[in-house]
């Protein structure tokens, strides 16, 4: 079997694998560049970057500079395809998107919110706009709005199902019936919704599926169902190039299936994480003390938030996992070794060929 390329606008990745954006600091330049060097698309997360002390005084400037530096670093490591991941709930999102475009980024992945005004912010047609959605309705809404307002459609879509890591675009109730929202069910619905727009504009909208995709067999299944590529997060955490602490990776290696839980996040969406001391303490205390110099999220209310999610994720990144939140996908319990990105991608591709 020939490995299909993933075409997004005028960009062509030689393998149909996107490494998903993972905040806070889980997907930085070394990981994204390593994936891009293997022919995939590497994504840097724009969230939670920069010197923490400097951020307390000058959050907006520090965050912007840190993202620019991360992009420059990645570009010094690869000539391959790089994307930046943004969450719609970030208070400084417009700034971060603008700096990414200025630094030459050609793929903007936008999740946790509907990017209805994104084409106005990024009118340059050479920059590929890729919303992340969890249902056909959201895909249809974005396409309808962009078509009417901007005479433009999305350059690709990432369809993230309920098995993904990090924040999830499903309600707590929906997550109790995960089987009703499988990618196998969602993908045909999305393909149907996008069809009239593909016909009208005479171009394909590649759909990249994400969430629970673990091996080459999974990739083959997604491609056979009509996906143009897959986005994977969890598998890339336990790679040598991923910048998180050894303790973070060890928590993945140690996790059992029953340790992987759904949490309520201050972002206002459910998330998937490893049930650890931090989450147990939170259950006992109800609320942790918060001081917030950043105001990094538009949706986080300091009076009612149970903890600072930026700090909790940073703690895990630095290795203090007992006081930190460890986001992961549903399949994290299956990861049993740390490998290089090349080893992982070689394994995925040989499984894909076999499947
Ligand atoms: C540790 C972690 C952090 C994540 N952070 C983000 C994020 O900041 N923004 C986002 O859009 N998706 C985030 N995700 C989702 C991934 O980009 C990806 O779509 C998802 O994890 C795919 O599912 P998988 O982990 O089963 O492969 C995160 C996932 C993980 C595991």
């Amino acid at each position: 079997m020939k490995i299909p390329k993933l075409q997004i606008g005028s960009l062509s990745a030689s393998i149909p694998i996107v490494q998903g954006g993972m905040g806070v600091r889980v997907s930085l330049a070394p990981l994204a560049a390593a994936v891009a060097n293997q022919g995939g698309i590497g994504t840097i997360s724009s969230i939670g970057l920069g010197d923490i002390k400097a951020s307390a005084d000058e959050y907006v400037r520090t965050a912007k500079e840190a993202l620019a530096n991360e992009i420059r670093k990645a570009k010094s490591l690869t000539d391959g395809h790089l994307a930046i991941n943004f969450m719609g709930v970030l208070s400084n999102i417009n700034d971060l998107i603008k700096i990414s475009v200025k630094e030459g980024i050609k793929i903007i992945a936008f999740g946790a919110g509907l990017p209805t005004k994104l084409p106005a912010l990024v009118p340059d047609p050479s920059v590929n706009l890729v919303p992340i959605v969890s249902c056909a309705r959201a895909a249809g809404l974005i396409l309808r709005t962009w078509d009417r307002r901007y005479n433009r459609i999305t350059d690709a879509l990432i369809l993230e199902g309920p098995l993904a890591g990090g924040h999830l675009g499903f309600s707590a109730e929906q997550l109790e019936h995960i089987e009703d929202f499988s990618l196998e069910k969602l993908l045909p619905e999305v393909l149907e919704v996008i069809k009239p727009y593909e016909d009208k504009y005479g171009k394909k909208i590649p759909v990249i599926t994400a969430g629970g995709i673990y091996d080459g067999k999974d990739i083959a299944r997604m491609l056979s169902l009509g996906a143009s590529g897959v986005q994977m997060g969890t598998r890339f955490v336990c790679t040598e190039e991923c910048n998180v602490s050894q303790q973070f990776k060890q928590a993945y290696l140690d996790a059992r299936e029953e340790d992987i839980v759904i949490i309520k996040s201050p972002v206002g969406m459910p998330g998937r994480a490893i049930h650890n001391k931090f989450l147990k303490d939170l259950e006992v205390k109800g609320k942790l003390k918060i001081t917030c110099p950043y105001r990094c999220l538009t949706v986080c209310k300091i009076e009612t938030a149970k903890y600072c999610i930026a700090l909790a994720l940073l703690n895990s990144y630095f290795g203090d996992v007992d006081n930190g939140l460890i986001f992961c996908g549903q399949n994290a319990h299956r990861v049993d070794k740390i490998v290089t990105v090349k080893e992982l991608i070689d394994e995925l591709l040989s499984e894909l060929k076999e499947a």
Side-chain angles (χ1 to χ4, degrees):
M1 180 208 172
K2 216 170 152 238
I3 303 289
K5 291 184 174 179
L6 171 58
Q7 185 84 30
I8 301 181
S10 60
L11 304 182
S12 175
S14 56
I15 60 170
I17 299 176
V18 179
Q19 161 258 311
M22 295 179 277
V24 162
R25 304 191 191 190
V26 181
S27 66
L28 296 179
L31 175 59
V35 174
N37 280 334
Q38 293 307 311
I41 296 176
T43 309
I44 297 171
S45 160
S46 65
I47 303 162
L49 306 177
D51 180 80
I52 295 165
K53 272 204 183 120
S55 292
D57 297 328
E58 279 196 274
Y59 176 66
V60 172
R61 186 180 62 78
T62 310
K64 210 162 76 176
E65 282 177 8
L67 180 56
N69 286 336
E70 209 57 39
I71 293 170
R72 285 175 203 165
K73 189 170 165 189
K75 287 191 154 196
S76 75
L77 298 170
T78 186
D79 291 325
H81 299 303
L82 295 168
I84 307 292
N85 176 279
F86 302 92
M87 287 174 76
V89 291
L90 298 175
S91 56
N92 57 341
I93 185 167
N94 289 0
D95 253 17
L96 295 178
I97 290 178
K98 278 190 205 154
I99 196 80
S100 304
V101 173
K102 195 169 160 214
E103 292 294 327
I105 286 296
K106 295 292 177 197
I107 308 174
I108 303 278
F110 187 115
L114 286 174
T116 46
K117 296 182 183 152
L118 187 57
L121 192 68
V122 188
D124 178 351
S126 76
V127 181
N128 296 287
L129 305 181
V130 186
I132 303 169
V133 297
S134 292
C135 63
R137 208 172 134 254
L141 184 68
I142 295 167
L143 285 165
R144 199 164 56 245
T145 310
W146 288 19
D147 173 40
R148 279 197 200 142
R149 278 195 204 156
Y150 309 108
N151 198 24
R152 158 162 206 184
I153 52 172
T154 64
D155 298 289
L157 283 170
I158 295 167
L159 171 63
E160 199 182 69
L163 299 177
H167 289 109
L168 303 167
F170 299 88
S171 67
E173 295 71 41
Q174 288 174 323
L175 291 170
E176 281 171 22
H177 305 281
I178 278 180
E179 59 294 346
D180 294 343
F181 303 95
S182 67
L183 287 170
E184 286 78 0
K185 283 198 176 161
L186 298 177
L187 179 59
E189 293 169 8
V190 170
L191 293 174
E192 196 182 317
V193 162
I194 66 177
K195 182 85 180 51
Y197 296 94
E198 293 183 312
D199 291 345
K200 179 172 173 186
Y201 285 80
K203 70 174 197 181
K204 189 173 168 59
I205 304 174
V207 179
I208 298 154
T209 48
I213 294 160
Y214 191 82
D215 56 25
K217 229 167 132 185
D218 295 334
I219 301 175
R221 195 175 61 255
M222 288 298 132
L223 298 179
S224 74
L225 291 171
S228 295
V230 297
Q231 171 165 291
M232 300 172 69
T234 296
R235 294 281 327 251
F236 285 106
V237 173
C238 284
T239 58
E240 282 171 17
E241 292 87 342
C242 177
N243 276 79
V244 295
S245 58
Q246 196 53 39
Q247 292 87 336
F248 194 124
K249 294 178 190 178
Q250 192 59 44
Y252 270 47
L253 300 179
D254 293 343
R256 297 162 303 168
E257 190 168 6
E258 58 271 29
D259 298 328
I260 296 170
V261 296
I262 298 295
I263 60 141
K264 226 175 139 186
S265 150
V267 165
M269 302 164 79
R272 180 171 281 110
I274 297 177
H275 195 241
N276 63 350
K277 183 174 177 302
F278 170 76
L279 288 177
K280 283 179 201 152
D281 288 350
L282 194 63
E283 282 156 16
V284 174
K285 291 180 187 155
K287 186 173 173 5
L288 305 178
K289 193 165 168 277
I290 302 182
T291 51
C292 174
Y294 313 123
R295 304 291 191 272
C296 63
L297 300 170
T298 52
V299 287
C300 181
K301 296 199 177 61
I302 300 135
E303 314 79 51
T304 51
K306 305 248 185 304
Y307 59 95
C308 167
I309 189 158
L311 186 65
L313 292 169
L314 266 180
N315 283 347
S316 294
Y317 165 80
F318 283 119
D320 183 9
V321 287
D322 282 348
N323 292 302
L325 183 60
I326 306 169
F327 271 152
C328 70
Q330 182 57 45
N331 279 329
H333 67 94
R334 292 169 65 185
V335 182
D336 59 6
K337 57 181 185 297
I338 295 170
V339 294
T340 63
V341 165
K342 181 173 179 348
E343 285 165 344
L344 173 58
I345 290 186
D346 283 350
E347 184 184 314
L348 293 171
L349 294 180
S350 85
E351 290 164 348
L352 171 59
K353 279 183 192 153
E354 214 171 289

